Amino acid sequence: MNWNEWREKARKLLNEGVAPAEAVWNDSPEFQFSVLERKPLEKPTIPKEFLEIGPLIAAARDPDRWDLLYRIVYRLNHESIHLLNVTVDNDVKRAMDLVKSVRKDIHKMHAFVRFKKIDIDGQETYIAWHKPEHLTIELGTPFFARRFGDKPWSIFSPDASAHWDLKELTFGPGMAEHEFTHQDEFDEVWKTYYKSIFNPARLNLKMMRQEMSPKYWSSMPETALIHELVRETPQRLQKMAAAPQVRAEVPAKLGLRDLKSLASNCTTCPWAKSSTQTVFGEGDSQARLMVVGEQPGSEEDLAGHAFIGPAGKVLADILNDLGIKREEIYITNAVKHFKWTPSDDGKARIHKKPSGGDMHACKPWLEAEIAAIRPKVIIALGVTAATSILGRLVKIGEERERNITNNALAENVIVSWHPSSILRAFNQEDRDQKIAELRSDLLRAFKLSAL
Ligand code: SF4
């Protein structure tokens, strides 16, 4: 049974008023239910939120998912249409756990699928094998049709397969891993790419296993290199330490006005030439709370002020809502120049994420700003800001509720979402959650700074 078949059956049962305890669901298209008590409904209501999460729950590898879905849809109609907002409810909690797990599985599919090129009757075709944790082939593969729509491809998994013929995405039966044994030059391409992005300074085997679970390794050619790269790490680290790294030269103990003036002439990085100007921090020179973002965007680059573009508006709305005045705090970025690349048609400047080298180059300016202001609390928004302040790779979702008190730059460091991640949110639910979390982190930081 799939989500659409379940919907059809569930609608009939709801119309007839069959209670969840009566229905016995299983994966077969046939199912049984006994008649105990019925509360017929003329027109069942299915809220939009349920239709958004329903297909994700239906894709979970959980034998109870159909019962759970029916219990929720029945309760939405008989108890409260707002049931999904009751996050402490056991059914809602279980549903949200499954949604989270399925979304994560889809994300891993997008990250770990590796295509191999084969020739079928003279036509270049791409195939891949992937073993998802859940039944996510139908939900996860439309992404590849959008991303690689100009090539025919197939993705096989033990449960199902997806096939793109340049016009239509269709689904078929699965395939065992041992039946899928193609090897080609694409393996070499992936290996070269992986070798080029492997950073020995960030080697953390435990984290690597968490992020890229060994269960996916068999279909990822680059993982054959992991042992070799790990073995070479000490030599590569030595080489990196010996290589000269650019870093802005900033005189000690300058006030904000002098720092801003000096930074306006900084040309340490190539981005200084391709952007309009240095965008230095602004705000109260004695602020107890400092907000640090990533780097200026296109609008900030043109105007010369931090956080005034679309992400800045998200931040401004939250600050207004919390009653925090922008002029009472200090707002800056970890990197002070706009790094960008032209769009395909050459008409727009597309933001490029700052590298570790960019953060390293610009950190003296950030340290000098912090030394001049001496804020009690720094809130770092996004991975770049958090990594620059803490000097290590940071996962915002895992650390945002902490108050980090062992950092040399400020008594308290809090990390939270960058407002641009709210603009890029997966869906409304994700957006609302990130706004609520950023709001709560900013409020916590502000209250702590006032103590
Ligand atoms: S990004 Fe920072 S270090 Fe690089 S040129 Fe701009 S101000 Fe200087």
Side-chain angles (χ1 to χ4, degrees):
M1 183 158 58
N2 63 25
W3 164 244
N4 287 332
E5 288 163 347
W6 178 87
R7 273 181 77 181
E8 208 174 297
K9 290 182 201 313
R11 191 177 293 120
K12 278 191 198 141
L13 295 190
L14 271 182
N15 279 333
E16 291 172 25
V18 176
E22 295 181 71
V24 181
W25 295 88
N26 56 44
D27 262 325
S28 142
E30 299 304 322
F31 70 104
Q32 314 116 23
F33 57 92
S34 58
V35 180
L36 295 175
E37 175 205 356
R38 297 199 168 180
K39 293 183 190 163
L41 283 173
E42 270 187 21
K43 202 164 175 254
T45 308
I46 314 290
K48 193 165 85 10
E49 295 82 357
F50 181 76
L51 292 177
E52 277 173 15
I53 62 170
L56 294 162
I57 297 169
R61 206 181 286 278
D62 180 332
D64 295 330
R65 66 197 185 284
W66 304 121
D67 298 82
L68 175 68
L69 279 168
Y70 189 63
R71 246 187 348 263
I72 292 177
V73 80
Y74 186 89
R75 294 180 62 201
L76 282 165
N77 280 277
H78 288 278
E79 276 180 39
S80 165
I81 198 67
H82 303 297
L83 174 67
L84 293 176
N85 296 335
V86 186
T87 49
V88 290
D89 180 274
N90 282 345
D91 284 341
V92 175
K93 204 167 166 309
R94 177 70 191 137
M96 290 311 169
D97 286 347
L98 290 180
V99 166
K100 198 170 164 194
S101 175
V102 170
R103 281 199 178 127
K104 194 170 167 193
D105 195 41
I106 293 173
H107 173 74
K108 298 224 165 185
M109 180 193 295
H110 297 166
F112 298 153
V113 158
R114 301 286 181 264
F115 285 104
K116 296 165 184 288
K117 188 166 63 175
I118 57 166
D119 187 280
I120 298 181
D121 299 334
Q123 187 179 21
E124 222 177 65
T125 302
Y126 293 80
I127 56 170
W129 194 87
H130 177 72
K131 188 177 178 186
E133 190 180 333
H134 295 290
L135 305 160
T136 43
I137 285 290
E138 290 197 22
L139 291 178
T141 50
F143 164 87
F144 296 101
R146 290 193 298 277
R147 182 65 72 88
F148 308 113
D150 59 341
K151 302 267 188 298
W153 53 255
S154 291
I155 297 174
F156 296 90
S157 81
D159 310 292
S161 54
H163 310 273
W164 172 249
D165 64 1
L166 304 185
K167 285 196 192 107
E168 200 187 355
L169 185 60
T170 52
F171 301 97
M175 179 189 274
E177 188 175 8
H178 67 264
E179 296 174 68
F180 187 89
T181 52
H182 285 274
Q183 279 217 351
D184 67 358
E185 72 266 31
F186 255 56
D187 284 5
E188 293 311 310
V189 173
W190 276 111
K191 283 181 189 169
T192 310
Y193 171 73
Y194 187 73
K195 210 166 181 172
S196 72
I197 61 163
F198 180 82
N199 182 348
R202 289 188 179 166
L203 177 65
N204 180 331
L205 279 176
K206 195 170 157 216
M207 198 177 271
M208 186 189 271
R209 281 173 187 276
Q210 272 170 9
E211 286 294 308
M212 193 163 71
S213 166
K215 73 181 171 207
Y216 301 110
W217 287 17
S218 63
S219 59
M220 299 171 68
E222 70 272 30
T223 54
L225 289 174
I226 287 177
H227 295 298
E228 179 194 330
L229 291 170
V230 168
R231 219 176 27 249
E232 289 173 359
T233 291
Q235 295 92 307
R236 293 185 73 184
L237 278 174
Q238 263 180 8
K239 226 166 136 185
M240 273 174 71
Q245 281 194 301
V246 285
R247 197 167 157 86
E249 281 181 27
V250 181
K253 296 188 181 162
L254 287 184
L256 277 182
R257 194 187 298 245
D258 292 335
L259 286 171
K260 186 171 181 172
S261 161
L262 271 179
S264 69
N265 295 318
C266 182
T267 53
T268 306
C269 314
W271 327 119
K273 287 204 180 80
S274 55
S275 54
T276 313
Q277 58 195 308
T278 309
V279 179
F280 207 70
E282 287 171 331
D284 183 352
S285 60
Q286 296 182 329
R288 293 174 67 81
L289 173 61
M290 179 186 265
V291 177
V292 182
E294 184 199 72
Q295 67 163 357
S298 184
E299 286 186 44
E300 283 94 355
D301 170 64
L302 295 173
H305 300 289
F307 276 104
I308 55 139
K313 289 193 179 69
V314 172
L315 179 66
D317 284 349
I318 297 176
L319 290 176
N320 277 343
D321 195 33
L322 294 172
I324 303 173
K325 292 198 177 73
R326 202 175 160 123
E327 56 276 15
E328 285 174 359
I329 59 177
Y330 188 87
I331 300 183
T332 191
N333 280 306
V335 175
K336 316 286 187 213
H337 270 105
F338 176 41
K339 181 175 172 182
W340 60 279
T341 186
S343 60
D344 289 345
D345 61 6
K347 289 183 182 162
R349 301 187 301 171
I350 310 292
H351 162 278
K352 253 182 114 177
K353 200 170 177 54
S355 66
D358 300 328
M359 288 183 239
H360 178 77
C362 211
K363 191 153 178 193
W365 290 119
L366 180 61
E367 286 172 338
E369 276 177 302
I370 296 170
I373 296 167
R374 298 168 60 84
K376 179 165 183 191
V377 182
I378 293 176
I379 180 162
L381 306 184
V383 173
T384 300
T387 302
S388 182
I389 297 282
L390 298 176
R392 60 178 170 81
L393 199 56
V394 178
K395 273 192 162 182
I396 303 296
E398 285 176 9
E399 299 210 37
R400 51 160 285 276
E401 284 176 319
R402 287 182 62 200
N403 176 23
I404 298 158
T405 53
N406 60 354
N407 188 268
L409 296 176
E411 205 176 314
N412 305 278
V413 176
I414 289 171
V415 305
S416 190
W417 305 112
H418 193 282
S420 64
S421 71
I422 291 166
L423 298 172
R424 295 191 308 266
F426 190 58
N427 56 25
Q428 191 59 43
E429 186 200 358
D430 184 27
R431 188 171 303 122
D432 290 347
Q433 184 174 343
K434 286 212 167 91
I435 289 178
E437 289 177 353
L438 175 56
R439 191 180 185 284
S440 123
D441 297 337
L442 277 164
L443 184 60
R444 185 161 51 95
F446 184 66
K447 282 185 176 167
L448 192 59
S449 74
L451 291 178

